[in-house]
């Protein structure tokens, strides 16, 4: 029965590309559509929480606080499939040009990074001050 | 207006023929177009169309990986895309986003893509990060090496269409 237990996972996708890795601009609609395609294909149900979620994180490169705003998604999945979600978000780091993506699994927070050699890792950003 | 002569024109100017849709699918498309018009909030519509299209094809026993290839899915996603772009929440893709999509769909890594096209990894990295552009002849040659070509298409109305046969949908 343990494998049938559903776990609530939520993750945040910033509305803009990372300005250290990329240009800090809005995502192309293709990036959002890619995420929808993946969620639709992988999971039976998910929801996108209406509205934007403002936050702040500290850049590991510059040590400076970076304000951002994100869209929040909630997915209820069996525990056995959490790694699938992690893999999806690792790829999302590349698609959305992010250093990492905030993931909360039943209240436990982790930051998913692009796989080594992934697109986000390959994009040299401007040097911080 | 006969359904077999109608087509839907998406945000990228691609024409999607509606002739293959059955009556229930056409009804669903009309409902989605109406919904996008009456509830233009992007989050709201995104949640609505994905649930509506999933339950429609799940009821027909179609696996999700197949139903997301259906025309109804593509039209619903395009309606959603138009809402996002018109609300300023996402931008329409340019050639650099399309290059990125080609890499994602057809090449295991950027390095492999660069090998195949002759582009340098450094240049590609800057282009995909929107810091540089490719010269048109360089882009043309690179695409030619992997079986793609540049094409100029008419710019399309980005407003949400009001129903099958108008706005985003046209007679042939």
């Amino acid at each position: 029965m343990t494998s049938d237990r559903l776990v609530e996972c939520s993750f945040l996708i910033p509305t803009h590309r990372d300005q250290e890795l990329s240009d800090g601009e809005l995502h192309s609609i293709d990036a959002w559509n890619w995420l929808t395609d993946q969620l639709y294909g992988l999971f039976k149900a998910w929801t996108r929480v209406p509205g934007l979620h403002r936050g702040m994180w500290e850049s590991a490169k510059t040590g400076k606080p970076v304000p951002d705003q994100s869209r929040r998604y909630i997915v209820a999945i069996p525990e056995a499939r959490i790694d699938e979600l992690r893999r999806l978000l690792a790829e999302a780091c590349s698609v959305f040009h992010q250093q990492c993506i905030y993931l909360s699994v039943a209240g436990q927070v982790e930051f998913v990074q692009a796989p080594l050699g992934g697109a986000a890792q390959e994009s040299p950003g401007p040097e911080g001050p | 207006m006969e359904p077999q002569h109608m087509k839907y024109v998406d945000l990228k100017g691609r024409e999607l023929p509606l002739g293959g849709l059955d009556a229930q699918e056409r009804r669903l498309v009309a409902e989605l177009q109406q919904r996008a018009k009456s509830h233009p909030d992007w989050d709201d519509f995104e949640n609505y169309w994905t649930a509506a299209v999933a339950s429609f094809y799940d009821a027909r026993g179609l696996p999700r990986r197949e139903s997301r290839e259906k025309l109804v899915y593509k039209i619903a996603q395009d309606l959603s895309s138009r809402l996002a772009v018109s609300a300023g929440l996402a931008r329409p893709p340019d050639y650099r986003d399309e290059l990125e999509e080609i890499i994602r769909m057809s090449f295991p890594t950027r390095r492999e893509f660069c090998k195949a096209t002759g582009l340098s990894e450094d240049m590609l990295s800057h282009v995909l990060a929107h810091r540089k552009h490719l010269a048109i002849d360089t882009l043309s040659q690179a695409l030619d090496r992997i079986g793609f070509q540049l094409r100029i298409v008419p710019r399309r109305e980005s407003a949400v269409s009001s129903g099958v046969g108008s706005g985003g949908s046209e007679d042939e």
Side-chain angles (χ1 to χ4, degrees), chain A residues 20-33:
Chain A
E20 293 173 3
L21 285 177
S22 187
D23 57 1
E25 294 299 319
L26 273 178
H27 300 301
S28 132
I29 194 62
D30 281 353
W32 293 108
N33 288 344

Side-chain angles (χ1 to χ4, degrees), chain B residues 50-124:
Chain B
T50 48
V53 173
S55 61
F56 181 86
Y57 285 114
D58 286 356
R60 291 184 171 196
L62 209 61
R64 290 287 179 86
R65 286 176 193 279
E66 288 180 33
S67 65
R68 75 180 176 192
E69 298 304 319
K70 290 285 190 181
L71 198 53
V72 174
Y73 180 99
K74 293 180 189 309
I75 292 171
Q77 190 167 58
D78 187 70
L79 290 168
S80 186
S81 300
R82 288 168 186 270
L83 293 178
V85 170
S86 65
L89 299 169
R91 60 181 170 74
D94 69 10
Y95 78 93
R96 295 168 294 191
D97 302 301
E98 296 194 15
L99 272 185
E100 198 164 8
E101 193 176 0
I102 291 170
I103 297 168
R104 195 160 55 237
M105 303 296 287
S106 309
F107 293 88
T109 62
R110 285 186 182 181
R111 181 160 298 163
E112 293 296 320
F113 174 81
C114 287
K115 253 189 225 170
T117 56
L119 296 172
S120 78
E121 287 184 57
D122 185 55
M123 183 61 179
L124 179 69

Side-chain angles (χ1 to χ4, degrees), chain A residues 17 36-37 40 51 97 124, chain B residues 46 67-68 73 100 128 131:
Chain A
R17 295 148 63 113
T36 303
D37 288 348
Y40 185 95
H97 294 231
Chain B
E46 184 76 3
S67 65
R68 75 180 176 192
Y73 180 99
E100 198 164 8
L128 296 185
R131 288 190 291 268

Side-chain angles (χ1 to χ4, degrees), chain B residues 12-36:
Chain B
K12 293 180 181 175
R14 293 176 300 204
E15 295 178 349
L16 310 174
L18 300 179
L21 297 182
D22 63 35
Q24 287 178 320
E25 288 176 315
R26 284 202 301 277
R27 201 172 306 126
L28 178 56
V29 168
E31 283 170 13
L32 290 166
Q33 287 182 303
Q34 187 54 43
R35 175 77 183 197

